Amino acid sequence: MDENGQTRARGRDQGERERSGGAGESGGDGQSGGAADSSGSPVGRERLLAAWHGSKRMLVGGTSGETIRERLNRLLADAPAAYDLDSWLDMYGNEDGIVGELERRTAEALGMEAAAFFPTGTMAQQVALRCWAGRTGNATVAGHPLSHLEVYERDAYAVVSGLRMVHPTTEPRLPTAAELHDLQEPFGTLTVELPLRDAGYLLPEWDELTALVEAAREHDATVHFDGARIWECGPHFGRSLPEIAALADSVYVSYYKSLDGISGAALAGPTDFVEEARAWRHRYGGQLFQQWPTVLAALTGLDRELPRLPEYVAHAKVVAQALREGLAEAGVPWFRVHPEVPHTHDFQIWLPHPAEALNEAGVRQAEETGTTLFRKWFEEGPLGLSMTEVSIRSSAMDWTAEDVRTALRDFLGRVRA
């Protein structure tokens, strides 16, 4: 199979991981690749969620293990500080109501002229690329084979919008300016995922990013940031969100991946571009009758989680170092904490064990000790290697380095048993 074929196959597997919530987003699916219990049958979703729900301490953040009632109660408790609950319900995203308030606050946070709320990031991305293709007259997009567009959106840019993708690099990192200059055909839009999730939530250095954007400008191309997690990029770059977003012509952001929202996304950019995007949003079926629950959760996230992200990023470095030291002390071969120093509050861990053994050890640790160290593991590397994602949120902030090493020793003991 050629390199592109390998990327496509990997994309199908990881698309399943995205739909099942991944390791730190929304929990396991209980249908694909679950752990095996003592009877040899797969561990179901109910057992996973019950184990996480019953945990008194959780290192890895996320909303899985929460019942509908608990999520509603939490929303009701948090929302009054974010928006007047005596205001009228929204109707088709009216701009003078709660949806308009979220759009204005999002544009302000990013330093952009305007923003439009979308029910999903996939829809927002497709609309952005379609609009730019129409404006540039070029249906070719330069992007990365590990990007969300390629791995998790079922080729929507091609199947729905008639666009095509070219790859400046296939290395597990963002492309360089030189690689963009070396492309042998013109492109109308450059897409940059910040951070590049499937490469380990990697970010370039600031001068590398600015050089990449400048290279796109020299090719008369527009620049679109897949900024689903751009909220957490400021500490690495040493720049504010408006400074980062100002490099791009448009930015997509997610409200649930970093901000603990229910769902939803936004597309931000120049006012005329956002107005065009609103028209395409309607055509794509994104003009929903009412969206106030997701919008309320997003406003709460902007208030509560956005200011905390620098603390999460700093603590992720402490946790990653403790895990790395603990794995080395335990003599685990072929392990990897990637990147060694996280660029954001998310990073990967690779261990030389089957996913079902790691998942079973994790569930038993949660059930028997009330501690959840990791979420789900997935076999995505060479034979015998499994990976999980660690996402540091509020639940991890009271974990010391010694707490992490102690829980890791217990986890590894259960794996070996």
Side-chain angles (χ1 to χ4, degrees), residues 373-391:
L373 185 63
F374 304 118
R375 295 295 185 99
K376 284 196 71 175
W377 292 81
F378 300 86
E379 293 181 29
E380 295 189 341
L383 188 64
L385 288 180
S386 299
M387 185 273 289
T388 192
E389 295 174 320
V390 175
S391 179

Side-chain angles (χ1 to χ4, degrees), residues 265-281:
L267 186 59
T271 301
D272 62 334
F273 170 81
V274 171
E275 287 304 309
E276 182 183 358
R278 292 182 194 277
W280 281 107
R281 179 184 65 187

Side-chain angles (χ1 to χ4, degrees), residues 12-290:
R12 285 193 294 272
D13 293 339
Q14 294 199 339
E16 186 62 37
R17 173 160 61 89
E18 180 81 345
R19 289 191 294 278
S20 70
E25 300 286 331
S26 60
D29 61 350
Q31 302 297 324
S32 57
D37 63 19
S38 58
S39 68
S41 60
V43 174
R45 179 173 182 268
E46 290 297 322
R47 184 184 173 199
L48 288 169
L49 294 178
W52 295 336
H53 185 269
S55 293
K56 298 178 178 63
R57 298 197 75 192
M58 302 188 75
L59 178 69
V60 177
T63 58
S64 54
E66 192 173 36
T67 67
I68 294 172
R69 183 182 301 278
E70 288 168 339
R71 186 62 179 98
L72 286 173
N73 287 340
R74 185 157 64 88
L75 180 60
L76 187 59
D78 296 340
Y83 194 76
D84 182 5
L85 299 189
D86 290 322
S87 298
W88 300 111
L89 295 172
D90 65 298
M91 303 282 283
Y92 292 111
N94 48 304
E95 296 181 33
D96 58 349
I98 187 172
V99 176
E101 175 68 14
L102 176 61
E103 291 173 339
R104 287 186 290 274
R105 286 193 53 188
T106 299
E108 180 181 354
L110 295 170
M112 307 293 269
E113 290 183 5
F117 181 79
F118 280 76
T120 72
T122 296
M123 184 185 294
Q125 298 249 82
Q126 301 316 309
V127 167
L129 295 183
R130 185 167 197 140
C131 288
W132 289 128
R135 291 181 173 218
T136 63
N138 189 325
T140 300
V141 177
H144 200 284
L146 293 181
S147 69
H148 196 281
L149 287 159
E150 287 276 54
V151 179
Y152 298 118
E153 299 182 16
R154 295 197 176 190
D155 299 325
Y157 68 84
V159 176
V160 178
S161 300
L163 309 179
R164 57 188 296 267
M165 184 83 73
V166 293
H167 303 141
T169 183
T170 57
E171 293 295 316
R173 54 160 175 77
L174 288 172
T176 65
E179 289 167 337
L180 199 64
H181 282 308
D182 287 342
L183 275 176
Q184 296 180 338
E185 55 187 308
F187 55 94
T189 302
L190 168 69
T191 68
V192 182
E193 184 177 322
L194 298 174
L196 187 56
R197 182 253 182 109
D198 273 14
Y201 299 91
L202 294 185
L203 289 167
E205 295 304 314
W206 180 253
D207 59 348
E208 294 172 336
L209 180 60
T210 55
L212 179 63
V213 169
E214 180 59 30
R217 304 293 185 208
E218 291 172 6
H219 285 266
D220 297 321
T222 57
V223 178
H224 170 72
F225 282 173
D226 175 342
R229 298 173 175 85
I230 198 172
W231 309 113
E232 61 204 57
C233 295
H236 176 81
F237 290 130
R239 299 293 194 281
S240 67
L241 278 173
E243 288 179 280
I244 300 169
L247 296 178
D249 297 287
S250 61
V251 179
Y252 141 62
V253 295
S254 171
Y255 293 116
Y256 75 89
K257 291 179 178 174
S258 299
L259 301 184
D260 192 33
I262 294 174
S263 64
L267 186 59
T271 301
D272 62 334
F273 170 81
V274 171
E275 287 304 309
E276 182 183 358
R278 292 182 194 277
W280 281 107
R281 179 184 65 187
H282 196 171
R283 294 185 180 109
Y284 274 67
Q287 193 80 354
L288 304 186
F289 178 53
Q290 290 185 352

